[in-house]
Amino acid sequence: MSVYFRQLLSGRDFAVGDAVATQMVNFSYLIGDTESREAVVVDPAYAPSELVDVLAADDMRLTGVLVTHHHPDHVGGDLMGHALGGLAELLGRTPVPVHVNRHEAEWVRRTTGVSADDLTPHDHDDEVLVGAVPIRLLHTPGHTPGSQCFLVDGKLVAGDTLFLQGCGRTDFPGGDPDAMYSSLRKLAELTGDPIVHPGHQYTDAPKATLSEVRRTNVVYRADTLDQFRSLFG
Ligand SMILES: [Fe+2]
């Protein structure tokens, strides 16, 4: 089994010249199997067709979408008056299953306008197979009710749950600081020291080992829920 994995930054690697994409510094990820040539895209926003084109140029075929959470900078939709491209546009070009956490499905539907039938709801610890490559889905609520992270080939695709510095905000609709604390603990306990790949480039480094993130990220200075609440709640 050989894993295809690419990290693409909005405004630099795709959606170049798009002011919102450039300002929001979102990462999309392409994950696939280099033998079967199948691949999924994580969080296609701004210019989803370009992401499919990147796959095509690599001789890979899109067979699905993974969604970390429903915010428009990750799946498309209205962001403060800006109509961002995303799931709806992607499915119009290439109808594929969209893998969401069960608790996020309704939010994704409302944000993007796709139908419930377009979404494949998942539970914590489900696995999505891309060719022969297994991707483990981890439910990590806090930033949103159905936020999820993905574990594949020693990499943790962390969405807006865990950044290299800080974590996702918990003051948007559906946010929950207590749930975020539990989710961050759950991620900290993952074995094998996966490399954290966040949903935004908020630091110079685009990725870091989980052990380094645990050592340097302020969110891991809180040892108890009470401390976390007083620091970040
Ligand atoms: Fe978000």
Side-chain angles (χ1 to χ4, degrees):
M1 175 188 83
S2 177
V3 178
Y4 168 91
F5 188 95
R6 291 190 65 175
Q7 178 189 54
L8 300 173
L9 182 64
S10 68
R12 183 193 70 189
D13 302 324
F14 66 101
V16 175
D18 177 323
V20 180
T22 304
Q23 189 193 334
M24 295 297 287
V25 286
N26 281 86
F27 283 123
S28 284
Y29 294 92
L30 306 174
I31 306 171
D33 179 333
T34 58
E35 280 148 43
S36 74
R37 313 307 296 178
E38 293 161 83
V40 293
V41 55
V42 178
D43 289 357
Y46 305 111
S49 284
E50 289 182 29
L51 296 168
V52 180
D53 290 342
V54 170
L55 283 179
D58 285 346
D59 192 27
M60 301 291 287
R61 185 170 56 90
L62 183 76
T63 58
V65 174
L66 302 185
V67 167
T68 62
H69 68 294
H70 74 274
H71 288 158
D73 55 321
H74 296 259
V75 293
D78 180 78
L79 182 71
M80 295 177 290
H82 300 276
L84 307 186
L87 288 184
E89 185 185 334
L90 181 73
L91 296 182
R93 171 174 167 176
T94 315
V96 291
V98 176
H99 301 279
V100 300
N101 182 271
R102 187 173 302 288
H103 303 282
E104 200 75 354
E106 179 61 20
W107 298 78
V108 172
R109 204 186 57 67
R110 269 187 270 152
T111 306
T112 63
V114 304
S115 78
D117 294 342
D118 292 322
L119 304 175
T120 304
H122 286 278
D123 295 308
H124 175 65
D125 234 0
D126 276 7
E127 190 178 271
V128 170
L129 264 184
V130 184
V133 172
I135 303 176
R136 197 174 146 210
L137 278 47
L138 307 174
H139 182 208
T140 52
H143 181 58
T144 66
S147 277
Q148 58 181 353
C149 299
F150 309 115
L151 254 185
V152 57
D153 190 39
K155 300 172 182 72
L156 175 68
V157 176
D160 284 5
T161 298
L162 176 62
F163 301 124
L164 302 192
Q165 194 52 257
C167 64
R169 292 173 59 167
T170 55
D171 58 341
F172 292 128
D176 179 345
D178 290 12
M180 176 60 92
Y181 177 76
S182 304
S183 292
L184 292 172
R185 298 259 50 106
K186 185 155 72 180
L187 293 181
E189 283 155 19
L190 289 172
T191 57
D193 200 17
I195 299 168
V196 178
H197 287 73
H200 292 265
Q201 175 137 32
Y202 288 153
T203 54
D204 289 341
K207 60 188 177 182
T209 60
L210 180 61
S211 56
E212 186 182 340
V213 174
R214 286 180 59 177
R215 197 159 42 77
T216 56
N217 190 325
V218 290
V219 300
Y220 284 119
R221 289 198 196 142
D223 291 324
T224 64
L225 176 57
D226 280 346
Q227 282 177 11
F228 185 80
R229 279 182 184 151
S230 65
L231 286 170
F232 307 107

